[in-house]
Amino acid sequence: MTKSLKLSPVVKTSLADQVEQNLMEYLKKNNFKVGDAMPKEIELAEELGVSRNVVREALSRLRMLGIVESKKRKGMVITEPDLLSSVTRLMDPSLLSDKTMKDIFELRLVLEVGMSDLLVVRKTDEDIVELKDIARKEAEDPECKHSLEVRLGYEIAFHGKLYAMTGNSTLTRFQQMLLPIFNYMMEVESHLKSEPPRGDISHMDLVTTLEKGTAAELRRNMRAHLTPHYARL
């Protein structure tokens, strides 16, 4: 029996793959900042010992990642990547498996319970008034009991306002990104044979807690409010 040499398999990569990796390492080692200009294509090609076409392909990949962009009279410059742009385009229930959508929805639950500290610190009187208005209209709207679309509208308005109140632009964008998944999961719940358990904490209860309570109380009540969703974990 031949003894295994325990060698790692050779990883086959294209020239463009190697140049892309080399360029990323070059940018890190030389501490490039947003707005800095990169060397010209011809300089990179000569330094790397490859054709300009290969360099151009590697730079195109970096451009797609949002790491570089082309500027008039400056050539390629470093830019700040938009971390959520690519993910946003892919956040479509028709492209994702049920398990992936469930995982993403669970992330949404964790975020909403966890952002209580930000909400308590950054709330304003105007925020409380707006939240109360949404919660009051929801409580007085008889269509909430019969129309998923109406109920979704209030859910999105209320929780979207909470995300905006955090003052964290990434969180706010993330909430917008999750809307298709949120809508899908609500639709799934509406077709369950047995109605999911309802939380004892309403939107108006959450507003009251946010207005007068502590971050710990808000976390506890937000968790109770989301009971129907947690019950499906």
Side-chain angles (χ1 to χ4, degrees):
M1 183 175 179
T2 304
K3 184 178 179 181
S4 173
L5 297 179
K6 298 182 179 179
L7 294 173
S8 299
V10 175
V11 179
K12 297 180 180 179
T13 59
S14 68
L15 274 177
D17 291 333
Q18 295 175 50
V19 171
E20 178 186 358
Q21 184 62 39
N22 284 355
L23 289 178
M24 288 293 293
E25 292 175 0
Y26 169 74
L27 295 177
K28 294 174 185 177
K29 288 180 180 178
N30 290 276
N31 200 28
F32 273 75
K33 303 296 183 184
V34 173
D36 289 347
M38 289 192 65
K40 304 295 184 183
E41 278 184 11
I42 190 170
E43 295 174 328
L44 292 172
E46 291 175 355
E47 183 70 20
L48 292 165
V50 297
S51 70
R52 291 183 65 178
N53 285 339
V54 173
V55 170
R56 192 172 294 120
E57 180 180 346
L59 288 173
S60 178
R61 295 180 184 184
L62 297 185
R63 189 190 298 111
M64 290 179 64
L65 292 172
I67 297 173
V68 300
E69 64 179 352
S70 181
K71 293 276 190 179
K72 286 185 177 180
R73 294 186 294 277
K74 291 188 69 175
M76 284 290 182
V77 299
I78 308 303
T79 186
E80 183 176 3
D82 186 340
L83 299 178
L84 298 180
S85 62
S86 296
V87 180
T88 301
R89 291 195 293 270
L90 296 174
M91 201 63 71
D92 185 336
S94 65
L95 301 175
L96 304 173
S97 68
D98 289 342
K99 182 183 184 306
T100 298
M101 286 188 288
K102 184 174 181 291
D103 288 347
I104 295 170
F105 193 74
E106 289 174 3
L107 178 59
R108 175 246 175 178
L109 300 181
V110 172
L111 286 176
E112 294 200 7
V113 173
M115 65 188 188
S116 298
D117 291 88
L118 290 179
L119 291 171
V120 169
V121 170
R122 296 175 179 174
K123 67 185 178 185
T124 66
D125 292 340
E126 291 76 14
D127 291 329
I128 297 299
V129 170
E130 187 173 341
L131 285 173
K132 283 183 177 179
D133 185 56
I134 296 170
R136 178 184 55 77
K137 289 179 179 178
E138 178 187 21
E140 295 175 354
D141 192 338
E143 289 299 312
C144 281
K145 295 181 180 180
H146 313 291
S147 171
L148 176 66
E149 183 178 355
V150 172
R151 185 156 58 91
L152 270 175
Y154 286 115
E155 285 284 331
I156 292 170
F158 187 88
H159 290 271
K161 175 60 181 176
L162 293 181
Y163 278 88
M165 286 171 58
T166 66
N168 186 303
S169 58
T170 301
L171 268 178
T172 302
R173 285 192 61 199
F174 201 78
Q175 186 261 348
Q176 291 294 319
M177 182 179 70
L178 290 178
L179 287 181
I181 308 300
F182 180 63
N183 293 350
Y184 175 86
M185 296 301 290
M186 291 286 286
E187 182 70 28
V188 169
E189 286 186 2
S190 72
H191 291 93
L192 294 177
K193 292 183 178 179
S194 58
E195 185 174 345
R198 295 296 172 190
D200 296 327
I201 303 297
S202 68
H203 283 158
M204 189 61 80
D205 293 327
L206 288 178
V207 179
T208 301
T209 306
L210 178 57
E211 182 179 21
K212 303 177 181 179
T214 65
E217 290 170 333
L218 183 59
R219 278 195 299 273
R220 183 169 59 250
N221 284 351
M222 182 66 78
R223 173 62 177 78
H225 172 70
L226 296 170
T227 291
H229 306 305
Y230 273 100
R232 300 187 63 239
L233 299 183

